[in-house]
Amino acid sequence: MTVHDGFEELFQRHPSNPILTAADWPYPAHTVFNPGAIRLQDGTTLLLCRVEDRRGHSHLCAARSPNGIDGWVIDEHPTLTPDPGLHPEELWGIEDPRITFVAELGRYAVAYTAFSRDGPGVALALTDDFRSFDRYGLVMQPDDKDAALLPRRINGNFALVHRPATESGGHVWISYSPDLRNWGNHHMMLLARKGSWWDANKVGLSPPPIETEAGWLMIYHGVRHTPAGCLYRLGLALFALDQPERCIQRGDSWVFGPSAPYEREGDVGNVTFPCGYTVGDDGDTLHLYYGAADTSVALATGRIRELLSWLARNHSVDASDSLGPPGGSVD
Ligand code: BMA
């Protein structure tokens, strides 16, 4: 942690940012951003990157590195491509993967956005090796995105965090399933605030929630509409371990946002959008991989203990202010 202009900076940008760009790709790519991330059992960092082509459609491509910073070996061909023949909901591409290792299954679950004719929905695929995938198809119908599976069952059921769109913007929800196919028991987790808040217009999960002793630590993106366009920044919230829809603490201020030139300028400027992280051998160092301005992949590093300590000192007195009234109505 450093202090800059009186603010505690919880994340440090890596000096070689952006760490991956379209210029690194072994085949023609327009932009490379919003990667899911995971550390494989041999210590390799795997990023599953969203690659956009010149049609504007995205697919996913794996990049592997021994240290998570450089020496990336990128798949020669797209790793997971839209399959609109079998999955019509993938007609206009697949985007923003979030990876969870599910110990019970001994497999990785990838939740991603399937861009259908009717808008974005949430699709799920399982894999052992990021080479072949079992596609479960759409698990949340449009409009819905920003999804990740929790790594273990909660009270007997799998849990998916996701962000259905509402007329007023979008709030984070959680849904449960006994088998990863049938989903229900929907609860709101985190409400977009209103007015001049930095997260007034939309909120969504960024990387998968991080399990800590204090609770599920969520790094979420908050969107503020401005006359110059949207600003995507990151905030922190903590949820009860065995009842993840219960918000324990929600940070008042954002903790990371666009400031470096590669975050300010690009296809969509002023966007910092992480979909994945890895944790170092010390169990505390967090490597946050994020899309910068919908154009490239960047890395920022923080410490889980410092995030929790900041949250304990900088949250709203009443976290329920962040939630809707009972019954899930939000307005
Ligand atoms: C969100 C998602 C992200 C994107 C961001 C900024 O709604 O679609 O893929 O990075 O907008 O454009």
Side-chain angles (χ1 to χ4, degrees):
M1 203 243 317
T2 57
V3 177
H4 190 249
D5 286 345
F7 291 109
E8 291 177 39
E9 298 293 352
L10 298 175
F11 291 100
Q12 278 76 53
R13 289 170 176 80
H14 197 275
S16 39
N17 274 350
I19 57 164
L20 281 170
T21 73
D24 300 311
W25 241 246
Y27 56 86
H30 169 59
T31 45
V32 178
F33 56 113
N34 298 3
I38 198 90
R39 232 172 141 208
L40 303 175
Q41 270 168 356
D42 66 0
T44 301
T45 296
L46 180 141
L47 298 186
L48 193 59
C49 301
R50 170 177 171 188
V51 179
E52 194 179 295
D53 61 27
R54 281 199 177 180
R55 295 174 305 168
H57 300 184
S58 295
H59 61 266
L60 309 182
C61 185
R64 295 170 173 82
S65 155
N67 62 8
I69 298 166
D70 51 23
W72 295 99
V73 177
I74 301 167
D75 280 0
E76 290 291 317
H77 303 285
T79 309
L80 188 64
T81 50
D83 186 2
L86 283 178
H87 295 281
E89 68 277 3
E90 298 182 355
L91 182 66
W92 288 331
I94 56 176
E95 309 177 349
D96 300 358
R98 292 165 173 93
I99 305 168
T100 305
F101 181 70
V102 185
E104 173 189 334
L105 306 174
R107 308 187 80 189
Y108 302 95
V110 184
Y112 58 93
T113 302
F115 203 153
S116 76
R117 192 178 288 281
D118 291 315
V122 175
L124 193 65
L126 265 63
T127 182
D128 297 318
D129 53 7
F130 294 91
R131 298 190 197 282
S132 66
F133 295 82
D134 287 338
R135 288 163 120 107
Y136 279 54
L138 212 57
V139 290
M140 293 291 158
Q141 74 269 40
D143 268 5
D144 208 324
K145 53 165 65 170
D146 299 330
L149 196 68
L150 295 190
R152 60 175 175 83
R153 291 181 193 248
I154 306 292
N155 302 317
N157 286 307
F158 292 108
L160 187 82
V161 180
H162 57 111
R163 206 285 304 283
T166 64
E167 243 172 70
S168 56
H171 315 288
V172 179
W173 288 70
I174 188 165
S175 304
Y176 294 93
S177 168
D179 55 7
L180 296 177
R181 294 191 188 274
N182 299 284
W183 293 90
N185 193 12
H186 312 288
H187 297 272
M188 183 179 291
M189 283 183 89
L190 194 75
L191 191 64
R193 287 184 273 211
K194 292 188 174 182
S196 68
W197 279 96
W198 66 272
D199 52 0
N201 298 104
K202 281 196 283 191
V203 289
L205 178 71
S206 272
I210 304 164
E211 189 166 10
T212 74
E213 277 176 17
W216 296 101
L217 175 61
M218 183 193 285
I219 301 176
Y220 71 95
H221 57 270
V223 183
R224 182 177 179 183
H225 295 162
T226 81
C230 291
L231 275 166
Y232 279 75
R233 300 189 182 110
L234 303 180
L236 303 177
L238 192 67
F239 298 85
L241 280 181
D242 286 329
Q243 195 192 354
E245 52 270 23
R246 191 163 68 79
C247 184
I248 306 169
Q249 294 169 352
R250 178 182 190 167
D252 293 328
S253 318
W254 51 269
V255 295
F256 190 77
S259 69
Y262 53 88
E263 299 162 348
R264 290 280 190 201
E265 280 175 36
D267 268 9
V268 186
N270 291 316
V271 175
T272 46
F273 201 92
C275 291
Y277 65 83
T278 61
V279 179
D281 289 334
D282 59 3
D284 190 38
T285 306
L286 193 70
H287 305 279
L288 192 67
Y289 293 94
Y290 63 101
D294 283 12
T295 297
S296 58
V297 173
L299 167 63
T301 302
R303 294 194 174 276
I304 296 172
R305 261 185 252 128
E306 285 181 1
L307 302 186
L308 290 172
S309 144
W310 179 90
L311 195 47
R313 288 178 283 115
N314 295 281
H315 66 273
S316 296
V317 177
D318 180 7
S320 64
D321 178 41
S322 311
L323 300 172
S329 164
V330 294
D331 261 318

